CSV table of all heavy atoms in Angstrom, one decimal:
chain,number,residue,atom,x,y,z
A,299,GLY,N,-276.7,14.1,-21.8
A,299,GLY,CA,-277.4,12.8,-21.7
A,299,GLY,C,-276.9,11.8,-22.8
A,299,GLY,O,-277.5,10.8,-23.0
A,301,LEU,N,-273.8,10.5,-22.7
A,301,LEU,CA,-273.0,9.6,-22.0
A,301,LEU,C,-273.6,9.5,-20.5
A,301,LEU,O,-274.3,10.5,-20.2
A,301,LEU,CB,-271.5,10.0,-21.9
A,301,LEU,CG,-270.6,9.6,-23.0
A,301,LEU,CD1,-269.2,10.2,-22.8
A,301,LEU,CD2,-270.5,8.1,-23.2
A,302,PRO,N,-273.3,8.5,-19.8
A,302,PRO,CA,-273.8,8.5,-18.4
A,302,PRO,C,-273.4,9.7,-17.6
A,302,PRO,O,-272.3,10.3,-17.8
A,302,PRO,CB,-273.1,7.2,-17.8
A,302,PRO,CG,-272.9,6.3,-19.0
A,302,PRO,CD,-272.5,7.3,-20.1
A,303,GLY,N,-274.4,10.2,-16.8
A,303,GLY,CA,-274.1,11.4,-16.0
A,303,GLY,C,-273.0,11.3,-15.0
A,303,GLY,O,-272.5,12.3,-14.5
A,402,GLY,N,-273.4,0.4,-30.1
A,402,GLY,CA,-273.4,0.7,-28.7
A,402,GLY,C,-274.0,2.0,-28.4
A,402,GLY,O,-274.8,2.1,-27.4
A,403,CYS,N,-273.7,3.0,-29.1
A,403,CYS,CA,-274.2,4.4,-28.9
A,403,CYS,C,-275.7,4.4,-29.1
A,403,CYS,O,-276.5,4.9,-28.2
A,403,CYS,CB,-273.5,5.4,-29.9
A,403,CYS,SG,-274.2,7.0,-29.7
A,404,LEU,N,-276.2,3.8,-30.2
A,404,LEU,CA,-277.7,3.8,-30.4
A,404,LEU,C,-278.4,3.0,-29.4
A,404,LEU,O,-279.5,3.4,-29.0
A,404,LEU,CB,-277.9,3.2,-31.8
A,404,LEU,CG,-277.4,4.0,-33.0
A,404,LEU,CD1,-277.6,3.3,-34.3
A,404,LEU,CD2,-278.1,5.4,-33.0
A,405,VAL,N,-277.9,1.9,-28.9
A,405,VAL,CA,-278.5,1.1,-27.9
A,405,VAL,C,-278.6,2.0,-26.6
A,405,VAL,O,-279.6,2.0,-25.9
A,405,VAL,CB,-277.7,-0.2,-27.6
A,405,VAL,CG1,-278.2,-0.8,-26.3
A,405,VAL,CG2,-277.9,-1.1,-28.8
A,406,TYR,N,-277.5,2.7,-26.3
A,406,TYR,CA,-277.5,3.5,-25.1
A,406,TYR,C,-278.6,4.7,-25.2
A,406,TYR,O,-279.3,4.9,-24.2
A,406,TYR,CB,-276.1,4.2,-24.8
A,406,TYR,CG,-276.1,5.1,-23.7
A,406,TYR,CD1,-276.1,4.6,-22.3
A,406,TYR,CD2,-276.2,6.5,-23.9
A,406,TYR,CE1,-276.2,5.5,-21.3
A,406,TYR,CE2,-276.2,7.4,-22.8
A,406,TYR,CZ,-276.2,6.9,-21.5
A,406,TYR,OH,-276.2,7.7,-20.4
A,407,LEU,N,-278.6,5.3,-26.3
A,407,LEU,CA,-279.6,6.4,-26.5
A,407,LEU,C,-281.0,5.8,-26.4
A,407,LEU,O,-281.9,6.5,-25.9
A,407,LEU,CB,-279.4,7.0,-27.9
A,407,LEU,CG,-278.1,7.9,-28.1
A,407,LEU,CD1,-278.1,8.5,-29.5
A,407,LEU,CD2,-278.0,9.0,-27.0
A,408,ARG,N,-281.2,4.6,-27.0
A,408,ARG,CA,-282.6,4.0,-26.9
A,408,ARG,C,-282.9,3.7,-25.4
A,408,ARG,O,-284.0,4.0,-24.9
A,408,ARG,CB,-282.6,2.7,-27.7
A,408,ARG,CG,-283.8,1.9,-27.6
A,408,ARG,CD,-285.0,2.5,-28.4
A,408,ARG,NE,-284.7,2.3,-29.8
A,408,ARG,CZ,-285.5,2.7,-30.8
A,408,ARG,NH1,-286.7,3.4,-30.5
A,408,ARG,NH2,-285.2,2.5,-32.1
A,409,TRP,N,-281.9,3.2,-24.7
A,409,TRP,CA,-282.1,3.0,-23.3
A,409,TRP,C,-282.4,4.2,-22.5
A,409,TRP,O,-283.2,4.2,-21.6
A,409,TRP,CB,-280.8,2.3,-22.7
A,409,TRP,CG,-280.9,1.9,-21.3
A,409,TRP,CD1,-281.6,0.9,-20.7
A,409,TRP,CD2,-280.3,2.7,-20.2
A,409,TRP,NE1,-281.4,0.9,-19.3
A,409,TRP,CE2,-280.6,2.0,-19.0
A,409,TRP,CE3,-279.5,3.8,-20.1
A,409,TRP,CZ2,-280.2,2.4,-17.7
A,409,TRP,CZ3,-279.0,4.2,-18.9
A,409,TRP,CH2,-279.4,3.5,-17.7
A,410,ARG,N,-281.8,5.3,-22.9
A,410,ARG,CA,-282.0,6.6,-22.2
A,410,ARG,C,-283.3,7.2,-22.6
A,410,ARG,O,-283.7,8.2,-22.1
A,410,ARG,CB,-280.9,7.6,-22.5
A,410,ARG,CG,-279.5,7.2,-21.9
A,410,ARG,CD,-279.4,7.8,-20.5
A,410,ARG,NE,-279.7,9.2,-20.4
A,410,ARG,CZ,-279.5,9.9,-19.3
A,410,ARG,NH1,-279.1,9.3,-18.2
A,410,ARG,NH2,-279.7,11.2,-19.3
A,411,GLY,N,-284.0,6.6,-23.6
A,411,GLY,CA,-285.3,7.2,-24.0
A,411,GLY,C,-285.2,8.3,-25.0
A,411,GLY,O,-286.1,9.1,-25.2
A,412,LYS,N,-283.9,8.4,-25.7
A,412,LYS,CA,-283.8,9.5,-26.7
A,412,LYS,C,-284.5,9.1,-27.9
A,412,LYS,O,-284.7,7.9,-28.3
A,412,LYS,CB,-282.3,9.6,-27.0
A,412,LYS,CG,-281.5,10.1,-25.8
A,412,LYS,CD,-281.8,11.5,-25.4
A,412,LYS,CE,-281.0,12.0,-24.3
A,412,LYS,NZ,-281.3,13.4,-23.8
A,414,ILE,N,-284.5,8.6,-31.7
A,414,ILE,CA,-283.5,8.3,-32.7
A,414,ILE,C,-284.0,8.7,-34.0
A,414,ILE,O,-285.1,8.2,-34.4
A,414,ILE,CB,-283.0,6.9,-32.7
A,414,ILE,CG1,-282.4,6.5,-31.3
A,414,ILE,CG2,-282.0,6.6,-33.8
A,414,ILE,CD1,-282.0,5.1,-31.1
Side-chain angles (χ1 to χ4, degrees):
L301 275 178
C403 176
L404 294 174
V405 168
Y406 176 76
L407 291 180
R408 176 77 71 179
W409 179 76
R410 290 276 304 187
K412 295 291 181 183
I414 299 177

